[in-house]
Amino acid sequence: MNIVIPGLFVTGVGTDVGKTVVTAGLVRLLQSAEYKVLPVKPVQSGGINNSQGKMDSPDGEVYKKAGAVWDIEKQCPYIFEPACSPHLAAQLSGVELGVVDIADKVRQLEGQATLIAEGAGGIFVPLNDERTMLDLMKELSYPVVLVAGNKLGVINDTLLSIAALKQAGVKIAGVIMTSSAGPEPLEFGMAEDNIRSIESFSGIKVLASIPYISNWNPSEKRCWTEVDRALKKIDLNSFAKN
């Protein structure tokens, strides 16, 4: 019998750490365990215009190439063209983002599938003049997967993010390490020590570590095979809400 996983929220220690690949990879992991899964991008900035003249989600394109079901109207309720922080992108587009409104759009999909919601940037990315991505995590109350790039400085970045999540009372499912910017730092055994130190100081488990994938191309099966290999070690019990 499958573990009940209503939803997960994927956030990062910052931007460009591989959240989209992790989100797509988790969709694949749960689908392989016979879950019905939908990725959700509640707020997307940096939207692109497609050939039909409609705004499209670059993250959604990655999800689709990973084999996920993607309906932008339902799974990406707020999308803006300016490639900047969501609060600024919304302001420039004449829209006021509200945490409850965003969460309600996500909740409309609950019950249809396990939802994997990908945030924008890190934990304290603003959604408006008063609320941040952390407030959305609290509102949705899904277990949080924290994505961190395995490089010099990641211990500090990750421990700060974990401290903020703990203080907010958010359940942390665990950390997933990535190497999207380049190969893991092997000198001095740094890559392994980063993982060991994060777990030791925070008490939070590093669930998986996705290695550097050269010539990354989401259209190529070999890339997703590498992601699958890394994530298959995850114990799905980590994602249970209680």
Side-chain angles (χ1 to χ4, degrees):
M1 182 176 178
N2 279 343
I3 301 157
V4 177
I5 306 172
L8 298 171
F9 197 106
V10 178
T11 190
V13 301
T15 193
D16 293 331
V17 293
K19 293 188 306 298
T20 302
V21 171
V22 168
T23 300
L26 290 175
V27 170
R28 292 171 62 87
L29 175 69
L30 290 174
Q31 285 179 337
S32 71
E34 300 185 347
Y35 285 82
K36 184 177 180 182
V37 193
L38 290 175
V40 182
K41 184 73 177 183
V43 183
Q44 171 86 71
S45 54
I48 52 177
N49 287 302
N50 61 26
S51 57
Q52 286 77 43
K54 293 185 177 180
M55 194 71 70
D56 218 339
S57 163
D59 291 356
E61 287 300 307
V62 176
Y63 305 152
K64 286 194 293 183
K65 288 173 181 175
V69 172
W70 181 250
D71 181 341
I72 191 169
E73 299 291 335
K74 296 178 180 178
Q75 292 162 255
C76 187
Y78 294 94
I79 182 167
F80 308 106
E81 187 171 4
C84 52
S85 177
H87 78 296
L88 181 56
Q91 289 174 10
L92 293 171
S93 303
V95 176
E96 183 175 348
L97 291 174
V99 168
V100 174
D101 294 334
I102 299 169
D104 284 346
K105 293 285 188 182
V106 176
R107 289 193 187 106
Q108 288 176 16
L109 298 171
E110 289 183 348
Q112 299 180 33
T114 292
L115 306 182
I116 304 183
E118 179 189 350
I123 291 168
F124 287 116
V125 166
L127 290 171
N128 54 41
D129 290 340
E130 297 179 347
R131 311 292 291 278
T132 69
M133 199 63 64
L134 180 57
D135 293 299
L136 179 59
M137 295 179 214
K138 291 166 63 178
E139 183 68 28
L140 287 170
S141 72
Y142 299 154
V144 170
V145 174
L146 179 64
V147 181
N150 198 338
K151 59 183 180 180
L152 181 64
V154 71
I155 297 173
N156 178 71
D157 293 346
T158 305
L159 294 181
L160 284 171
S161 295
I162 289 173
L165 290 168
K166 285 182 174 179
Q167 186 175 31
V170 173
K171 173 176 176 168
I172 307 170
V175 176
I176 293 180
M177 307 293 285
T178 63
S179 296
S180 56
E184 294 178 342
L186 299 180
E187 190 176 16
F188 313 119
M190 191 184 301
E192 290 184 1
D193 185 71
N194 284 342
I195 293 172
R196 185 165 52 248
S197 295
I198 288 167
E199 291 185 330
S200 176
F201 279 95
S202 70
I204 299 298
K205 184 173 177 58
V206 174
L207 302 173
S209 184
I210 300 175
Y212 176 65
I213 302 172
S214 61
N215 300 314
W216 167 261
N217 184 340
S219 297
E220 294 186 6
K221 182 180 178 180
R222 67 170 181 89
C223 294
W224 293 112
T225 299
E226 288 293 323
V227 173
D228 294 342
R229 184 178 293 117
L231 298 186
K232 72 178 181 180
K233 302 173 184 177
I234 295 176
D235 179 358
L236 297 185
N237 284 291
S238 304
F239 298 151
K241 188 170 181 179
N242 295 312

